[in-house]
Amino acid sequence: MKSSAINMTTNPGVALIKGQSLKLTPFQAKVLVALCQVPEGKVTTYKYLSDSIHCKSSQAVGQALKRNPYAPIVPCHRVIQSDLSLGGFGGTRVGSKIDKKIELLESEGVRIGQDGKVDSKFIYKFS
C-alpha cells in the first residue's frame, strides 16, 4: 500500500483532468480533482467528498462520478456510502461492475466485510 500523502501537482489523475482531453463540466472537474486526494488503500464517502468541495448534494457528486471518463486513474471506486456500504459503480449497484469495484478496493488493501461494508479504519476524511 502506498503512503497516504498525495502530491496533487504530480498526481496522474489531476494531470488528466487539467489537460482535459475530454470535455468535463467545471463541476465534474472539481469533483474529480478532489477525488484524487483519496489515497490508495483508503475510501471516502459521497458526503465527505461533497463537503470537501462545498457542495450540498451528495447525489450530484455521485452523478459526476458516474460520468468519470478517467476511471480507474481517477479512482471513483474509492467512494462509498455514508453507511459504509459500497454504493454504486459505473452506474449500477449490482453485477459485474460492483464486482470490479470490490476487486479494485481489495487490490488496494481495503477490507470489505461479509455484510458488504468497508471497515471504518479505511475511511479518508478531507482536511
Side-chain angles (χ1 to χ4, degrees):
M1 184 167 60
K2 294 180 182 173
S3 164
S4 62
I6 299 290
N7 183 335
M8 294 300 284
T9 58
T10 60
N11 183 292
V14 173
L16 274 173
I17 297 161
K18 300 279 184 186
Q20 284 210 14
S21 58
L22 300 173
K23 289 239 177 204
L24 296 173
T25 68
F27 178 74
Q28 287 173 308
K30 190 175 187 179
V31 170
L32 297 179
V33 166
L35 175 59
C36 288
Q37 294 178 56
V38 180
E40 185 176 311
K42 294 287 185 179
V43 295
T44 195
T45 67
Y46 295 98
K47 172 105 173 82
Y48 289 148
L49 184 55
S50 63
D51 288 349
S52 78
I53 61 168
H54 309 289
C55 174
K56 294 181 181 178
S57 175
S58 299
Q59 188 175 20
V61 166
Q63 290 299 310
L65 294 175
K66 181 171 132 178
R67 292 169 177 79
N68 176 6
Y70 303 116
I73 295 168
V74 177
C76 54
H77 62 279
R78 294 183 191 152
V79 185
I80 63 170
Q81 294 185 169
S82 293
D83 70 357
L84 305 180
S85 62
L86 294 175
F89 189 63
T92 188
R93 293 179 173 269
V94 295
S96 63
K97 289 184 179 180
I98 293 300
D99 293 341
K100 181 65 175 175
K101 181 174 186 171
I102 292 168
E103 179 185 320
L104 287 165
L105 290 173
E106 288 180 340
S107 75
E108 295 178 354
V110 175
R111 285 197 215 116
I112 301 162
Q114 294 287 9
D115 60 357
K117 294 187 177 188
V118 173
D119 186 320
S120 63
K121 74 178 183 179
F122 294 100
I123 295 292
Y124 175 83
K125 295 180 182 177
F126 296 84
S127 45

